[in-house]
Amino acid sequence: MQSTEFDRILRRLTTVLSVVILTLSLIYVSTGVLLSFYYEPTAGGAYHSLRMIDTEVTYGWLFHRAHDIAGNAVIAIALIQIVAMFLSRQFRKSWLIAWVSGILFTLNAIALDWTAMILSWDQEGYWRFNIELGNIEAIPLIGSQLRDILTGGGAISSVTVQHMYSIHNYLISIAAILLAVVHLSALLWQEKEMYQEAPKKVLSAE
């Protein structure tokens, strides 16, 4: 499949977007670490600790806001990048790592947002999470077990917040950074390959 100038522009765009994705991921994780110094992962305590961060901690509101914006923005940009990769016809086997890491990162970013919904312990987050648990429980065979793992067994409680906090901070966040680095590395490798192929095509055309 011959690359057009439009394809090359889109491929360059995907590389730029991957840099933005890695930057937003680093902002998200670093602000999350700063918030964790004051955040209390318990029922009730989570809400009050976030209020304290917003009102009493120096620049706490700024880090909290940056954390939220980076989390939402990285999902949107990851989805846009997947569309750009599709439109630029990047379907060769050599693009497999870029595709797989990009899709896994997007799912990871969505999972970060999903696990964070209960961490604020407000009315909206609580009831959203309660509805999501109902959907999870409806999964055949493993639904009840997954619900018990997430909640710690029984109703939503401090154990649930601690479980989601651990999954959010220690599993998904680390995976997001690793996938963002792999994705950017794969795209940079493809950029290098693309520019190495360009002179060969010119010579063959002559």
Side-chain angles (χ1 to χ4, degrees):
M1 185 178 292
Q2 188 174 0
S3 296
T4 65
E5 185 63 26
F6 180 67
D7 293 335
R8 287 190 286 271
I9 291 172
L10 283 176
R11 291 177 186 180
R12 173 53 60 87
L13 176 62
T14 59
T15 305
V16 172
L17 289 177
S18 68
V19 175
V20 176
I21 285 171
L22 179 58
T23 303
L24 288 173
S25 298
L26 291 173
I27 292 172
Y28 188 83
V29 172
S30 60
T31 52
V33 171
L34 293 173
L35 293 174
S36 69
F37 292 154
Y38 299 94
Y39 178 76
E40 183 182 343
T42 60
Y47 177 79
H48 293 297
S49 62
L50 288 176
R51 286 292 301 274
M52 185 265 291
I53 289 170
D54 288 339
T55 57
E56 299 179 22
V57 177
T58 304
Y59 297 115
W61 65 271
L62 179 61
F63 292 121
H64 190 188
R65 188 63 178 160
H67 189 71
D68 290 341
I69 292 174
N72 292 325
V74 77
I75 296 173
I77 293 175
L79 291 171
I80 292 171
Q81 190 198 45
I82 288 177
V83 173
M85 289 179 68
F86 178 80
L87 293 177
S88 62
R89 303 184 297 177
Q90 300 172 4
F91 304 125
R92 292 181 298 177
K93 289 182 179 179
S94 59
W95 286 92
L96 183 61
I97 296 176
W99 268 107
V100 172
S101 60
I103 292 171
L104 288 178
F105 176 84
T106 304
L107 295 174
N108 214 267
I110 294 171
L112 278 173
D113 184 68
W114 190 87
T115 53
M117 75 174 75
I118 193 64
L119 299 183
S120 60
W121 198 256
D122 55 11
Q123 287 289 330
E124 180 183 355
Y126 179 89
W127 290 111
R128 276 183 61 200
F129 189 69
N130 199 38
I131 293 170
E132 292 291 341
L133 285 178
N135 295 331
I136 289 172
E137 196 170 12
I139 299 174
L141 302 177
I142 62 171
S144 298
Q145 288 81 359
L146 284 176
R147 188 187 192 284
D148 289 341
I149 291 171
L150 295 175
T151 61
I156 300 173
S157 62
S158 290
V159 177
T160 307
V161 178
Q162 290 166 3
H163 282 194
M164 301 308 291
Y165 179 74
S166 297
I167 294 171
H168 181 85
N169 268 26
Y170 305 125
L171 294 179
I172 306 178
S173 295
I174 295 173
I177 293 295
L178 292 176
L179 287 169
V181 170
V182 170
H183 187 58
L184 175 58
S185 300
L187 287 173
L188 289 175
W189 177 50
Q190 292 301 329
E191 281 273 317
K192 182 180 178 181
E193 184 184 72
M194 182 176 68
Y195 284 108
Q196 286 176 342
E197 289 178 354
K200 296 178 182 179
K201 290 180 180 179
V202 172
L203 290 174
S204 63
E206 293 175 352

